[in-house]
Amino acid sequence: MPDEYLRPPLNAVRPPAGMHRGHEGTYASELVLARLVWRDCVEVVPARLSWICDDRIRVEWTDHGRTRRTWLPFADVRRKMRWREGQGGPV
């Protein structure tokens, strides 16, 4: 099923207007963690960098065996995530 028929996460942003300015760069296909905000939860999933453009990043991630592509703000894509005991969440 194409991505356009699947609901995007609430924190998804629009693709850049016009031609996709930006680059794949040396980080193309790098494994990252993507924070996806859904109506009922927040999910952190492994994803691959697909495109970097200004203030947003396109990632590819798998959802029930399907490859999904989503544009996310830089703040929601990380190479690693730290978790402090007793803090109740990532740092």
Side-chain angles (χ1 to χ4, degrees):
M1 181 181 291
D3 285 351
E4 60 265 19
Y5 299 115
L6 301 171
R7 288 186 183 219
L10 297 176
N11 61 327
V13 294
R14 290 191 176 277
M19 299 260 318
H20 292 296
R21 297 175 303 132
H23 59 91
E24 292 176 295
T26 57
Y27 303 112
S29 296
E30 182 175 340
L31 186 61
V32 294
L33 296 171
R35 179 178 169 267
L36 306 174
V37 178
W38 302 105
R39 190 171 46 106
D40 59 344
C41 69
V42 174
E43 183 178 25
V44 177
V45 299
R48 295 229 174 252
L49 280 179
S50 174
W51 197 260
I52 300 169
C53 183
D54 298 332
D55 61 344
R56 59 196 83 192
I57 297 175
R58 188 172 86 167
V59 295
E60 294 182 357
W61 51 284
T62 304
D63 181 28
H64 301 290
R66 288 182 263 191
T67 299
R68 305 269 312 264
R69 290 168 191 86
T70 304
W71 286 93
L72 294 172
F74 266 90
D76 291 332
V77 179
R78 296 278 184 252
R79 288 187 182 149
K80 63 182 177 179
M81 186 176 298
R82 295 186 182 142
W83 197 280
R84 287 201 182 132
E85 288 297 319
Q87 296 290 325
V91 177

mmCIF file of all heavy atoms in Angstrom, residues 43-75:
data_model
loop_
_atom_site.group_PDB
_atom_site.id
_atom_site.type_symbol
_atom_site.label_atom_id
_atom_site.label_comp_id
_atom_site.label_asym_id
_atom_site.label_seq_id
_atom_site.Cartn_x
_atom_site.Cartn_y
_atom_site.Cartn_z
ATOM 1 N N GLU A 43 6.438 6.690 19.724
ATOM 2 C CA GLU A 43 7.194 5.494 19.385
ATOM 3 C C GLU A 43 8.566 5.910 18.852
ATOM 4 O O GLU A 43 8.673 6.857 18.072
ATOM 5 C CB GLU A 43 6.400 4.755 18.295
ATOM 6 C CG GLU A 43 6.943 3.470 17.831
ATOM 7 C CD GLU A 43 6.024 2.831 16.783
ATOM 8 O OE1 GLU A 43 5.259 3.531 16.092
ATOM 9 O OE2 GLU A 43 6.102 1.618 16.660
ATOM 10 N N VAL A 44 9.607 5.221 19.279
ATOM 11 C CA VAL A 44 10.948 5.448 18.739
ATOM 12 C C VAL A 44 11.304 4.201 17.953
ATOM 13 O O VAL A 44 11.297 3.093 18.495
ATOM 14 C CB VAL A 44 11.974 5.710 19.861
ATOM 15 C CG1 VAL A 44 13.368 5.860 19.282
ATOM 16 C CG2 VAL A 44 11.585 6.948 20.660
ATOM 17 N N VAL A 45 11.581 4.395 16.647
ATOM 18 C CA VAL A 45 11.834 3.256 15.769
ATOM 19 C C VAL A 45 13.181 3.408 15.070
ATOM 20 O O VAL A 45 13.638 4.523 14.827
ATOM 21 C CB VAL A 45 10.721 3.109 14.700
ATOM 22 C CG1 VAL A 45 9.368 2.880 15.340
ATOM 23 C CG2 VAL A 45 10.674 4.305 13.778
ATOM 24 N N PRO A 46 13.827 2.296 14.727
ATOM 25 C CA PRO A 46 15.020 2.390 13.893
ATOM 26 C C PRO A 46 14.606 2.832 12.491
ATOM 27 O O PRO A 46 13.564 2.413 11.985
ATOM 28 C CB PRO A 46 15.585 0.970 13.894
ATOM 29 C CG PRO A 46 14.477 0.090 14.318
ATOM 30 C CD PRO A 46 13.511 0.923 15.092
ATOM 31 N N ALA A 47 15.409 3.701 11.896
ATOM 32 C CA ALA A 47 15.106 4.217 10.564
ATOM 33 C C ALA A 47 16.415 4.461 9.824
ATOM 34 O O ALA A 47 17.489 4.436 10.418
ATOM 35 C CB ALA A 47 14.303 5.503 10.675
ATOM 36 N N ARG A 48 16.305 4.698 8.533
ATOM 37 C CA ARG A 48 17.469 5.036 7.716
ATOM 38 C C ARG A 48 17.274 6.447 7.166
ATOM 39 O O ARG A 48 16.186 6.804 6.730
ATOM 40 C CB ARG A 48 17.616 4.071 6.552
ATOM 41 C CG ARG A 48 17.903 2.684 7.012
ATOM 42 C CD ARG A 48 19.078 2.112 6.244
ATOM 43 N NE ARG A 48 19.425 0.813 6.810
ATOM 44 C CZ ARG A 48 20.508 0.598 7.519
ATOM 45 N NH1 ARG A 48 21.343 1.560 7.772
ATOM 46 N NH2 ARG A 48 20.773 -0.594 7.995
ATOM 47 N N LEU A 49 18.362 7.219 7.182
ATOM 48 C CA LEU A 49 18.324 8.554 6.585
ATOM 49 C C LEU A 49 18.138 8.413 5.086
ATOM 50 O O LEU A 49 18.808 7.612 4.439
ATOM 51 C CB LEU A 49 19.631 9.295 6.840
ATOM 52 C CG LEU A 49 19.815 9.928 8.199
ATOM 53 C CD1 LEU A 49 21.169 10.600 8.276
ATOM 54 C CD2 LEU A 49 18.728 10.916 8.500
ATOM 55 N N SER A 50 17.245 9.190 4.539
ATOM 56 C CA SER A 50 17.001 9.142 3.113
ATOM 57 C C SER A 50 17.397 10.458 2.442
ATOM 58 O O SER A 50 17.973 10.465 1.357
ATOM 59 C CB SER A 50 15.525 8.845 2.875
ATOM 60 O OG SER A 50 15.191 8.925 1.538
ATOM 61 N N TRP A 51 17.094 11.588 3.084
ATOM 62 C CA TRP A 51 17.394 12.889 2.499
ATOM 63 C C TRP A 51 17.449 13.929 3.605
ATOM 64 O O TRP A 51 16.654 13.876 4.541
ATOM 65 C CB TRP A 51 16.312 13.268 1.491
ATOM 66 C CG TRP A 51 16.697 14.358 0.561
ATOM 67 C CD1 TRP A 51 16.348 15.669 0.664
ATOM 68 C CD2 TRP A 51 17.496 14.255 -0.615
ATOM 69 N NE1 TRP A 51 16.878 16.381 -0.379
ATOM 70 C CE2 TRP A 51 17.592 15.536 -1.185
ATOM 71 C CE3 TRP A 51 18.147 13.197 -1.233
ATOM 72 C CZ2 TRP A 51 18.317 15.788 -2.341
ATOM 73 C CZ3 TRP A 51 18.859 13.451 -2.383
ATOM 74 C CH2 TRP A 51 18.932 14.729 -2.933
ATOM 75 N N ILE A 52 18.385 14.876 3.482
ATOM 76 C CA ILE A 52 18.536 15.955 4.455
ATOM 77 C C ILE A 52 18.282 17.261 3.725
ATOM 78 O O ILE A 52 18.879 17.520 2.677
ATOM 79 C CB ILE A 52 19.964 15.961 5.048
ATOM 80 C CG1 ILE A 52 20.244 14.632 5.744
ATOM 81 C CG2 ILE A 52 20.149 17.135 5.992
ATOM 82 C CD1 ILE A 52 21.699 14.432 6.121
ATOM 83 N N CYS A 53 17.390 18.085 4.267
ATOM 84 C CA CYS A 53 17.044 19.343 3.610
ATOM 85 C C CYS A 53 16.727 20.406 4.656
ATOM 86 O O CYS A 53 15.753 20.274 5.388
ATOM 87 C CB CYS A 53 15.858 19.139 2.694
ATOM 88 S SG CYS A 53 15.414 20.608 1.781
ATOM 89 N N ASP A 54 17.541 21.433 4.713
ATOM 90 C CA ASP A 54 17.316 22.572 5.603
ATOM 91 C C ASP A 54 16.986 22.139 7.029
ATOM 92 O O ASP A 54 17.832 21.700 7.757
ATOM 93 C CB ASP A 54 16.242 23.508 5.053
ATOM 94 C CG ASP A 54 16.647 24.119 3.720
ATOM 95 O OD1 ASP A 54 17.862 24.265 3.479
ATOM 96 O OD2 ASP A 54 15.753 24.438 2.924
ATOM 97 N N ASP A 55 15.712 22.223 7.402
ATOM 98 C CA ASP A 55 15.299 21.947 8.776
ATOM 99 C C ASP A 55 14.536 20.639 8.922
ATOM 100 O O ASP A 55 13.863 20.411 9.908
ATOM 101 C CB ASP A 55 14.439 23.097 9.296
ATOM 102 C CG ASP A 55 13.172 23.287 8.468
ATOM 103 O OD1 ASP A 55 13.105 22.747 7.347
ATOM 104 O OD2 ASP A 55 12.259 23.981 8.935
ATOM 105 N N ARG A 56 14.619 19.773 7.932
ATOM 106 C CA ARG A 56 13.875 18.509 7.982
ATOM 107 C C ARG A 56 14.688 17.374 7.378
ATOM 108 O O ARG A 56 15.595 17.592 6.587
ATOM 109 C CB ARG A 56 12.527 18.654 7.296
ATOM 110 C CG ARG A 56 12.641 19.066 5.864
ATOM 111 C CD ARG A 56 11.343 19.583 5.307
ATOM 112 N NE ARG A 56 11.230 20.976 5.689
ATOM 113 C CZ ARG A 56 10.141 21.691 5.572
ATOM 114 N NH1 ARG A 56 9.072 21.175 5.045
ATOM 115 N NH2 ARG A 56 10.113 22.945 5.955
ATOM 116 N N ILE A 57 14.306 16.178 7.776
ATOM 117 C CA ILE A 57 15.011 14.973 7.320
ATOM 118 C C ILE A 57 13.967 13.950 6.874
ATOM 119 O O ILE A 57 12.962 13.753 7.558
ATOM 120 C CB ILE A 57 15.835 14.359 8.467
ATOM 121 C CG1 ILE A 57 16.917 15.324 8.934
ATOM 122 C CG2 ILE A 57 16.453 13.034 8.043
ATOM 123 C CD1 ILE A 57 17.698 14.834 10.133
ATOM 124 N N ARG A 58 14.219 13.315 5.739
ATOM 125 C CA ARG A 58 13.329 12.227 5.333
ATOM 126 C C ARG A 58 13.954 10.919 5.792
ATOM 127 O O ARG A 58 15.124 10.647 5.536
ATOM 128 C CB ARG A 58 13.123 12.196 3.822
ATOM 129 C CG ARG A 58 12.023 11.180 3.447
ATOM 130 C CD ARG A 58 11.673 11.265 2.016
ATOM 131 N NE ARG A 58 12.601 10.416 1.275
ATOM 132 C CZ ARG A 58 12.429 10.070 0.011
ATOM 133 N NH1 ARG A 58 11.411 10.524 -0.675
ATOM 134 N NH2 ARG A 58 13.302 9.294 -0.582
ATOM 135 N N VAL A 59 13.168 10.125 6.496
ATOM 136 C CA VAL A 59 13.628 8.825 6.972
ATOM 137 C C VAL A 59 12.764 7.727 6.372
ATOM 138 O O VAL A 59 11.610 7.946 6.011
ATOM 139 C CB VAL A 59 13.593 8.729 8.524
ATOM 140 C CG1 VAL A 59 14.573 9.695 9.149
ATOM 141 C CG2 VAL A 59 12.192 8.947 9.070
ATOM 142 N N GLU A 60 13.346 6.547 6.286
ATOM 143 C CA GLU A 60 12.615 5.352 5.866
ATOM 144 C C GLU A 60 12.585 4.412 7.051
ATOM 145 O O GLU A 60 13.608 4.173 7.685
ATOM 146 C CB GLU A 60 13.312 4.680 4.685
ATOM 147 C CG GLU A 60 13.295 5.503 3.439
ATOM 148 C CD GLU A 60 13.944 4.801 2.258
ATOM 149 O OE1 GLU A 60 14.460 3.673 2.428
ATOM 150 O OE2 GLU A 60 13.941 5.391 1.170
ATOM 151 N N TRP A 61 11.408 3.898 7.369
ATOM 152 C CA TRP A 61 11.246 3.000 8.501
ATOM 153 C C TRP A 61 10.247 1.922 8.121
ATOM 154 O O TRP A 61 9.530 2.035 7.140
ATOM 155 C CB TRP A 61 10.821 3.772 9.751
ATOM 156 C CG TRP A 61 9.640 4.673 9.568
ATOM 157 C CD1 TRP A 61 9.619 5.892 8.951
ATOM 158 C CD2 TRP A 61 8.303 4.431 9.973
ATOM 159 N NE1 TRP A 61 8.358 6.413 8.967
ATOM 160 C CE2 TRP A 61 7.529 5.540 9.586
ATOM 161 C CE3 TRP A 61 7.675 3.384 10.640
ATOM 162 C CZ2 TRP A 61 6.161 5.631 9.845
ATOM 163 C CZ3 TRP A 61 6.322 3.478 10.892
ATOM 164 C CH2 TRP A 61 5.586 4.597 10.504
ATOM 165 N N THR A 62 10.246 0.854 8.877
ATOM 166 C CA THR A 62 9.379 -0.288 8.568
ATOM 167 C C THR A 62 8.223 -0.350 9.547
ATOM 168 O O THR A 62 8.405 -0.244 10.759
ATOM 169 C CB THR A 62 10.181 -1.604 8.628
ATOM 170 O OG1 THR A 62 11.283 -1.489 7.735
ATOM 171 C CG2 THR A 62 9.338 -2.779 8.231
ATOM 172 N N ASP A 63 7.037 -0.529 9.001
ATOM 173 C CA ASP A 63 5.817 -0.642 9.799
ATOM 174 C C ASP A 63 5.073 -1.896 9.346
ATOM 175 O O ASP A 63 4.532 -1.928 8.246
ATOM 176 C CB ASP A 63 4.958 0.608 9.591
ATOM 177 C CG ASP A 63 3.688 0.592 10.399
ATOM 178 O OD1 ASP A 63 3.657 -0.038 11.476
ATOM 179 O OD2 ASP A 63 2.708 1.226 9.956
ATOM 180 N N HIS A 64 5.105 -2.932 10.174
ATOM 181 C CA HIS A 64 4.443 -4.199 9.852
ATOM 182 C C HIS A 64 4.857 -4.729 8.485
ATOM 183 O O HIS A 64 4.027 -5.108 7.665
ATOM 184 C CB HIS A 64 2.929 -4.059 9.930
ATOM 185 C CG HIS A 64 2.445 -3.637 11.274
ATOM 186 N ND1 HIS A 64 2.490 -4.454 12.381
ATOM 187 C CD2 HIS A 64 1.939 -2.460 11.707
ATOM 188 C CE1 HIS A 64 2.019 -3.818 13.426
ATOM 189 N NE2 HIS A 64 1.686 -2.596 13.048
ATOM 190 N N GLY A 65 6.167 -4.709 8.218
ATOM 191 C CA GLY A 65 6.696 -5.258 6.982
ATOM 192 C C GLY A 65 6.668 -4.314 5.793
ATOM 193 O O GLY A 65 7.143 -4.667 4.721
ATOM 194 N N ARG A 66 6.102 -3.125 5.946
ATOM 195 C CA ARG A 66 6.041 -2.159 4.858
ATOM 196 C C ARG A 66 7.061 -1.049 5.091
ATOM 197 O O ARG A 66 7.185 -0.562 6.208
ATOM 198 C CB ARG A 66 4.664 -1.499 4.783
ATOM 199 C CG ARG A 66 3.592 -2.409 4.280
ATOM 200 C CD ARG A 66 2.323 -1.636 4.220
ATOM 201 N NE ARG A 66 1.630 -1.956 5.478
ATOM 202 C CZ ARG A 66 0.396 -1.651 5.741
ATOM 203 N NH1 ARG A 66 -0.302 -0.950 4.898
ATOM 204 N NH2 ARG A 66 -0.158 -2.006 6.860
ATOM 205 N N THR A 67 7.729 -0.638 4.037
ATOM 206 C CA THR A 67 8.661 0.481 4.145
ATOM 207 C C THR A 67 7.865 1.771 4.032
ATOM 208 O O THR A 67 7.094 1.956 3.092
ATOM 209 C CB THR A 67 9.724 0.434 3.035
ATOM 210 O OG1 THR A 67 10.461 -0.778 3.178
ATOM 211 C CG2 THR A 67 10.668 1.613 3.126
ATOM 212 N N ARG A 68 8.043 2.639 5.034
ATOM 213 C CA ARG A 68 7.370 3.941 5.058
ATOM 214 C C ARG A 68 8.417 5.032 4.930
ATOM 215 O O ARG A 68 9.551 4.875 5.386
ATOM 216 C CB ARG A 68 6.614 4.132 6.374
ATOM 217 C CG ARG A 68 5.614 3.058 6.729
ATOM 218 C CD ARG A 68 4.220 3.329 6.232
ATOM 219 N NE ARG A 68 3.725 4.658 6.501
ATOM 220 C CZ ARG A 68 2.954 5.002 7.531
ATOM 221 N NH1 ARG A 68 2.619 4.103 8.431
ATOM 222 N NH2 ARG A 68 2.522 6.240 7.668
ATOM 223 N N ARG A 69 8.062 6.138 4.343
ATOM 224 C CA ARG A 69 8.938 7.301 4.223
ATOM 225 C C ARG A 69 8.224 8.493 4.834
ATOM 226 O O ARG A 69 7.074 8.758 4.494
ATOM 227 C CB ARG A 69 9.260 7.572 2.757
ATOM 228 C CG ARG A 69 10.151 6.516 2.168
ATOM 229 C CD ARG A 69 10.229 6.615 0.660
ATOM 230 N NE ARG A 69 10.884 5.430 0.120
ATOM 231 C CZ ARG A 69 10.265 4.303 -0.171
ATOM 232 N NH1 ARG A 69 8.966 4.190 0.018
ATOM 233 N NH2 ARG A 69 10.932 3.276 -0.651
ATOM 234 N N THR A 70 8.931 9.192 5.701
ATOM 235 C CA THR A 70 8.323 10.309 6.413
ATOM 236 C C THR A 70 9.334 11.431 6.577
ATOM 237 O O THR A 70 10.495 11.182 6.879
ATOM 238 C CB THR A 70 7.856 9.850 7.824
ATOM 239 O OG1 THR A 70 6.967 8.752 7.686
ATOM 240 C CG2 THR A 70 7.163 10.965 8.564
ATOM 241 N N TRP A 71 8.885 12.660 6.362
ATOM 242 C CA TRP A 71 9.701 13.832 6.648
ATOM 243 C C TRP A 71 9.473 14.216 8.102
ATOM 244 O O TRP A 71 8.331 14.338 8.548
ATOM 245 C CB TRP A 71 9.296 15.004 5.755
ATOM 246 C CG TRP A 71 9.754 14.856 4.341
ATOM 247 C CD1 TRP A 71 9.037 14.315 3.301
ATOM 248 C CD2 TRP A 71 11.013 15.249 3.799
ATOM 249 N NE1 TRP A 71 9.796 14.353 2.155
ATOM 250 C CE2 TRP A 71 11.001 14.927 2.425
ATOM 251 C CE3 TRP A 71 12.145 15.844 4.345
ATOM 252 C CZ2 TRP A 71 12.088 15.179 1.592
ATOM 253 C CZ3 TRP A 71 13.230 16.105 3.509
ATOM 254 C CH2 TRP A 71 13.187 15.768 2.153
ATOM 255 N N LEU A 72 10.562 14.382 8.847
ATOM 256 C CA LEU A 72 10.491 14.741 10.268
ATOM 257 C C LEU A 72 11.389 15.948 10.535
ATOM 258 O O LEU A 72 12.381 16.150 9.843
ATOM 259 C CB LEU A 72 10.964 13.578 11.141
ATOM 260 C CG LEU A 72 10.121 12.315 11.137
ATOM 261 C CD1 LEU A 72 10.837 11.207 11.903
ATOM 262 C CD2 LEU A 72 8.748 12.583 11.738
ATOM 263 N N PRO A 73 11.074 16.723 11.585
ATOM 264 C CA PRO A 73 11.985 17.795 11.975
ATOM 265 C C PRO A 73 13.283 17.206 12.523
ATOM 266 O O PRO A 73 13.291 16.086 13.052
ATOM 267 C CB PRO A 73 11.233 18.551 13.065
ATOM 268 C CG PRO A 73 9.989 17.808 13.336
ATOM 269 C CD PRO A 73 9.869 16.670 12.390
ATOM 270 N N PHE A 74 14.371 17.961 12.418
ATOM 271 C CA PHE A 74 15.666 17.505 12.918
ATOM 272 C C PHE A 74 15.578 17.024 14.363
ATOM 273 O O PHE A 74 16.231 16.063 14.746
ATOM 274 C CB PHE A 74 16.705 18.637 12.844
ATOM 275 C CG PHE A 74 17.512 18.616 11.586
ATOM 276 C CD1 PHE A 74 17.081 19.315 10.473
ATOM 277 C CD2 PHE A 74 18.685 17.908 11.512
ATOM 278 C CE1 PHE A 74 17.825 19.304 9.303
ATOM 279 C CE2 PHE A 74 19.440 17.888 10.350
ATOM 280 C CZ PHE A 74 19.000 18.594 9.246
ATOM 281 N N ALA A 75 14.787 17.694 15.187
ATOM 282 C CA ALA A 75 14.699 17.371 16.612
ATOM 283 C C ALA A 75 14.178 15.959 16.867
ATOM 284 O O ALA A 75 14.378 15.417 17.955
ATOM 285 C CB ALA A 75 13.815 18.384 17.323
#
